[in-house]
Amino acid sequence: MTRLRKMMLEELQRRNYSQHTTRYYIRTVEDFARRFNLPPDRLGPRHIREYQAELFQKRKVSAGTVTNRLAALRFFYIKTLKKAWSIAETPYPKKTQRLPTILSQEEVAQLIDAAGTPFHRILLITLYATGLRCAELTHLQVSDVDSKRMVIRVQGGKWRKDRDVMLSPKLLEELRKHWHRLRRKPSDWLFPGNRWHTADHPIDTKTVWYACDEAAKHAGLKKAVHPHTLRHCFATHLLEAGADLRTIQILLGHHDLKETSVYLHLSERHLKATASPLDSLQLKNQPQEE
């Protein structure tokens, strides 16, 4: 481990950044240094601007990804190197606001039924039943499932906030089947790692992505589907069933209600409840064809 990498890692750990963010930030600085074939502490604002332009023009990454990369570099320069950072010289790009992909309940059922293995199936079921983020799913512990209160405790979610989500009776039944299938009963992780799911560490998020991607292909779904899609489906389908936005915000662990309000744009119930102004116009009969 290089001196700079060790310094940055210590700064991230001191601030209790998540493992995912820590890995992402360090990989970004490494990628930045490789781009110019120089140690990152010898690179400055000009290099950052060139790197930012390349991400957009050559690598074709999204504005959100560029923002995350800049946040990693900003942390490195300010917190690790104790150098100044000019927002004016390296402005964050404007994000394109896109609505997420939503599956109908029939399509969600097709996706789950197309899972390649029982283990992949329980991962997809849990995602949809709880609305968890991918990393939150992988770090569920056996003790987080409270069958007496019928809730699942989500520990250390985004913003380091714990929360409870509902435990569906159907999900509880599926989790019990999953438990009986495990060769070695885990003491900690609900979804243990390695091929036989007997490891003392949880599965990686790549396992969840693979399960989702393979199931989408086998189900013949034309829409782009990834683990976060099921989180969006969870929220949208709850809203269509009559749940209020504040409740959905709490279940999702959103920091701001504005994040949750996007589902108003996705709910069929809310869209259909609003008539087009065309419907109230008194139009004359159509002219006869010439």
Side-chain angles (χ1 to χ4, degrees):
M1 181 180 293
T2 65
R3 177 183 61 86
L4 287 176
R5 179 188 169 96
K6 183 179 180 181
M7 287 171 58
M8 185 175 182
L9 181 60
E10 288 175 350
E11 291 296 331
L12 287 162
Q13 291 174 339
R14 282 178 53 219
R15 290 165 175 80
N16 200 26
Y17 276 59
S18 70
Q19 291 182 357
H20 174 77
T21 302
T22 297
R23 287 195 300 267
Y24 186 88
Y25 275 26
I26 288 177
R27 287 173 183 170
T28 295
V29 175
E30 290 173 344
D31 181 69
F32 177 57
R34 280 195 302 269
R35 164 62 181 81
F36 298 99
N37 198 29
L38 286 170
D41 57 343
R42 294 176 58 186
L43 302 174
R46 177 179 65 83
H47 301 96
I48 296 171
R49 289 195 298 272
E50 287 183 25
Y51 182 68
Q52 182 178 2
E54 180 178 297
L55 290 174
F56 273 124
Q57 296 169 7
K58 292 185 178 180
R59 303 195 195 182
K60 306 296 183 183
V61 301
S62 68
T65 299
V66 174
T67 297
N68 292 337
R69 295 287 185 97
L70 288 176
L73 295 178
R74 184 173 183 268
F75 180 94
F76 174 71
Y77 277 89
I78 294 177
K79 304 300 183 184
T80 305
L81 300 182
K82 313 301 182 186
K83 290 185 177 181
W85 176 278
S86 172
I87 296 294
E89 291 189 17
T90 52
Y92 287 152
K94 291 183 178 180
K95 289 187 178 181
T96 302
Q97 297 295 329
R98 291 191 176 92
L99 293 177
T101 299
I102 297 297
L103 305 178
S104 67
Q105 287 194 300
E106 292 74 19
E107 288 172 323
V108 172
Q110 291 174 27
L111 180 75
I112 293 173
D113 288 338
T117 66
F119 188 77
H120 285 178
R121 177 185 171 87
I122 188 59
L123 294 179
L124 299 180
I125 288 175
T126 307
L127 279 176
Y128 179 63
T130 60
L132 296 186
R133 300 177 179 91
C134 191
E136 292 171 344
L137 175 80
T138 60
H139 285 84
L140 281 180
Q141 299 190 32
V142 176
S143 58
D144 292 332
V145 181
D146 189 341
S147 59
K148 292 183 178 179
R149 295 179 57 229
M150 291 304 287
V151 298
I152 294 178
R153 171 60 53 90
V154 184
Q155 299 189 60
K158 199 172 184 180
W159 314 110
R160 294 292 178 184
K161 289 172 62 177
D162 293 353
R163 71 183 190 278
D164 286 342
V165 297
M166 75 281 272
L167 173 58
S168 156
K170 186 177 291 188
L171 173 60
L172 178 59
E173 180 183 348
E174 294 290 344
L175 287 174
R176 283 171 172 162
K177 292 177 183 177
H178 158 69
W179 178 266
H180 289 305
R181 283 193 301 266
L182 291 174
R183 297 185 176 190
R184 174 188 171 193
K185 307 308 178 191
S187 57
D188 295 318
W189 307 111
L190 185 59
F191 302 119
N194 83 24
R195 181 180 179 184
W196 306 112
H197 311 298
T198 56
D200 293 325
H201 59 80
I203 57 170
D204 192 270
T205 53
K206 291 180 181 178
T207 303
V208 187
W209 277 82
Y210 179 79
C212 199
D213 186 59
E214 288 298 298
K217 290 177 182 176
H218 293 156
L221 298 177
K222 302 303 180 184
K223 299 176 181 177
V225 181
H226 47 78
H228 218 73
T229 303
L230 290 175
R231 177 173 164 86
H232 295 316
C233 292
F234 166 84
T236 304
H237 296 166
L238 276 180
L239 190 62
E240 290 176 343
D244 62 272
L245 275 180
R246 174 57 181 162
T247 298
I248 296 173
Q249 177 194 2
I250 294 171
L251 291 172
L252 292 177
H254 278 168
H255 190 63
D256 194 318
L257 191 60
K258 290 181 180 179
E259 296 178 76
T260 317
S261 63
V262 67
Y263 299 110
L264 285 172
H265 299 280
L266 301 166
S267 167
E268 285 188 15
R269 183 172 69 89
H270 287 77
L271 292 174
K272 290 178 179 178
T274 306
S276 168
L278 175 64
D279 296 336
S280 62
L281 293 184
Q282 299 298 320
L283 299 176
K284 296 180 180 180
N285 293 331
Q286 292 185 1
Q288 294 182 353
E289 294 183 5
E290 296 181 358

